Amino acid sequence: MFLIEPGAGLHDPQSNQTRDYPEICSAVESFGEALASPAKSLVFLFCRNTLPCVYAYLGSIEAGHAVAMLDEALAAEFRTRLIDLYQPEFVAAADASLNPGADYDAASGREGLFLWRRHSHAAVLPHPDLALLLSTSGSTGTPKFVRLTRRNVDSNARSIRAGLGIDGDERPITSLPLHYSYGLSVLNSHLVAGAKIVVSNAGLMTPDFWNTVRDQQCTSWAGVPYSYQILKRLDLDKLNVPSLRTLTQAGGRLHTDLVAQFHARMIDRGGRLFVMYGQTEATARISILPSHMLPEKLGSAGQAIAGGVLSVDPETSEIRYQGPNVMMGYAESRQDLMLGDVMGGVLPTGDLGYLDADGCLFLTGRRKRDAKVFGLRLNMDEVEEMLRGYGPTAVIAGNEKLVIYCEHGDTVAFTQYTKDLSSLLKLHAGAFEFHRVHQLPLNANGKIDYPKLGSAL
């Protein structure tokens, strides 16, 4: 059975139901049977953090199909565009209102999921090795997916298990979405360790979440930088969760002051903090900084995971990663699903940095026009395009926000733009900061000079 090792268990705090290893395997097989098809198919899973969605994810891959993990809250226009572009043979969701339309018939769902089957099979079959599609840019609805194999997922899960020392006694809680590579990796790395996973859909700020951590005696919690800012405000010591002994952090650079604070706090509790670095293109994790290397290696993203190799391009300082968890390549349409491996196990990360004498990675910048906001990767060019209809616009990355410069608009307009972006991207309004400028700075090629934007005010 894909990823699931004996001893693994799942707990649903909403229903207070626990599923052991045989029950999980049975539910996964049952969902796979609902996907009976004469040919390899594509499954779109609009998911939330629930047991049925876990079964659908694993069951789709176990049945030999490829599954795209998508945010259930994705804006309707983005959802429709993706379905039209990729023509999935199956669509699964917990919400009946996500019916994909006239091209689909209702099929027999399983354990709280609705399932729709396309009238006809698309002409292009997914590559035999393709197992998982993950979005590259959070909630922007981009049609660009990372194409991953079973081997990618399995190898990364086992490397993370080894790097974090995960065993069958661990009891993590799903504090991140399953459609997000980091959140999915928490599930995967604990399933292969035979651990018990508490699958919660509650928000980090809700009493339900922390009551579950306490009642279920959860031992580990995963967060992005924004999560740690929240955790600092909540005050770990006041939450009364003595069982929590492991914290992991990825999804962007966490300020070194917070790393030092949480490391010290966990040492006092007899626990550990692991700082990690990863990309969806590498399935999830690329490097891990063991807790015992703090505070000596403060600011580092750690050493390459087992089976992986980090290197630095001597001319550009771009970080390169090589390992069995590197994707097959990207997909931007149904046609691309038939492609094989175009990466050869080597990933130019787009990040800049260096390796110290101990092989520890230090990141110094990024080449690509991507930003991490509240743990989600957003393509700034795509956000620009969303606003460009109003007039010239430029977007750069700020501290956990996008800073947006416009040759148009006023306070009223910016308030409306913020509401529109928040609704489309499912992000808090604090993720956007607008500024009016007389003219966007341009370089000699007539392109926006992003480094000079700050002085344009």
Side-chain angles (χ1 to χ4, degrees):
M1 185 68 68
F2 177 61
L3 291 180
I4 312 170
E5 293 291 340
L10 298 172
H11 178 79
D12 177 4
Q14 286 189 304
S15 64
N16 198 31
Q17 293 181 331
T18 300
R19 296 287 183 262
D20 60 17
Y21 172 74
E23 290 172 317
I24 298 170
C25 292
S26 176
V28 168
E29 290 174 353
S30 177
F31 191 86
E33 291 169 359
L35 303 177
S37 174
K40 187 180 180 80
S41 301
L42 173 63
V43 181
F44 267 17
L45 174 57
F46 292 98
C47 59
R48 60 178 71 158
N49 288 5
T50 63
L51 300 196
C53 286
V54 173
Y55 303 148
Y57 155 60
L58 297 170
S60 298
I61 297 177
E62 187 65 23
H65 301 312
V67 58
M69 302 291 282
L70 295 160
D71 185 359
E72 179 188 65
L74 196 66
E77 59 204 82
F78 294 156
R79 191 169 64 246
T80 299
R81 179 177 64 166
L82 288 174
I83 290 173
D84 290 345
L85 188 60
Y86 281 92
Q87 302 173 29
E89 280 71 29
F90 297 93
V91 175
D95 187 345
S97 69
L98 300 188
N99 188 321
D103 291 335
Y104 292 82
D105 291 323
S108 176
R110 293 291 191 278
E111 284 222 27
L113 280 183
F114 294 92
L115 183 67
W116 295 273
R117 182 189 295 263
R118 193 177 181 88
H119 296 159
S120 58
H121 207 289
V124 174
L125 297 181
H127 189 278
D129 293 338
L130 181 62
L132 177 63
L133 296 172
L134 293 176
S135 174
T136 62
S137 56
S139 305
T140 58
T142 176
K144 192 174 184 179
F145 285 107
V146 165
R147 297 183 291 117
L148 300 167
T149 67
R150 287 177 66 131
R151 179 174 181 258
N152 292 152
V153 179
D154 184 81
S155 66
N156 199 232
R158 296 181 188 279
S159 292
I160 295 170
R161 180 198 65 185
L164 300 182
I166 301 171
D167 59 26
D169 292 330
E170 290 294 335
R171 195 173 181 86
I173 185 167
T174 55
S175 50
L176 298 164
L178 292 178
H179 62 80
Y180 173 34
S181 60
Y182 183 14
L184 192 62
S185 74
V186 172
L187 174 73
N188 294 339
S189 57
H190 286 83
L191 285 175
V192 298
K196 312 298 187 296
I197 302 132
V198 178
V199 183
S200 171
N201 201 52
L204 184 60
M205 294 288 287
T206 65
D208 283 349
F209 182 87
W210 295 106
N211 287 339
T212 297
V213 173
R214 185 181 311 109
D215 295 343
Q216 295 301 315
Q217 299 185 13
C218 295
T219 60
S220 65
W221 177 86
V224 299
Y226 181 63
S227 309
Y228 277 86
Q229 293 170 18
I230 293 175
L231 188 58
K232 181 183 179 182
R233 292 201 298 269
L234 293 175
D235 192 340
L236 184 60
D237 291 336
K238 293 180 179 178
L239 291 172
N240 187 25
V241 284
S243 61
L244 199 61
R245 58 174 181 262
T246 299
L247 302 182
T248 63
Q249 183 270 317
R253 183 181 177 87
L254 182 63
H255 196 283
T256 53
D257 286 349
L258 283 180
V259 174
Q261 289 175 29
F262 278 102
H263 170 66
R265 186 73 57 84
M266 294 308 291
I267 291 297
D268 290 343
R269 296 165 61 95
R272 308 168 298 170
L273 168 68
F274 292 93
V275 175
M276 305 184 294
Y277 165 65
Q279 291 192 355
T280 304
E281 289 85 346
T283 308
R285 303 278 69 77
I286 287 175
S287 65
I288 298 174
L289 181 67
S291 183
H292 68 79
M293 285 190 167
L294 286 171
E296 178 188 356
K297 298 291 186 180
L298 193 63
S300 172
Q303 300 168 321
I305 60 172
V309 177
L310 284 166
S311 62
V312 180
D313 186 303
E315 294 185 3
T316 66
S317 296
E318 182 178 16
I319 303 299
R320 292 179 177 270
Y321 172 77
Q322 182 173 359
N325 51 314
V326 173
M327 65 176 178
M328 300 169 72
Y330 293 112
E332 296 188 67
S333 68
R334 177 77 190 211
Q335 190 72 22
D336 293 340
L337 300 188
M338 66 183 291
L339 299 176
D341 182 5
V342 299
M343 303 298 292
V346 179
L347 177 66
T349 65
D351 288 318
L352 306 177
Y354 64 92
L355 297 169
D356 70 6
D358 296 317
C360 287
L361 174 64
F362 289 80
L363 298 170
T364 59
R366 184 158 179 82
R367 297 181 68 186
K368 297 180 181 178
R369 287 275 295 151
D370 289 342
K372 284 287 183 71
V373 180
F374 301 161
L376 296 177
R377 187 196 306 180
L378 299 177
N379 184 276
M380 291 179 280
D381 293 329
E382 291 180 356
V383 177
E384 280 184 10
E385 191 62 33
M386 293 175 186
L387 295 166
R388 202 163 280 148
Y390 300 109
T393 303
V395 181
I396 60 175
N399 183 19
E400 285 292 328
K401 68 177 66 176
L402 296 183
V403 183
I404 304 168
Y405 296 86
C406 304
E407 292 182 9
H408 55 86
D410 53 20
T411 301
V412 174
F414 293 161
T415 299
Q416 187 60 53
Y417 299 165
T418 297
K419 289 180 180 178
D420 292 343
L421 287 175
S422 296
S423 176
L424 279 172
L425 306 180
K426 309 301 179 187
L427 283 172
H428 187 273
F432 312 103
E433 179 182 299
F434 280 88
H435 296 281
R436 173 72 183 264
V437 296
H438 175 67
Q439 184 176 9
L440 296 173
L442 303 178
N443 58 29
N445 296 326
K447 296 182 179 180
I448 295 173
D449 191 339
Y450 289 101
K452 289 184 179 179
L453 271 175
S455 61
L457 294 174

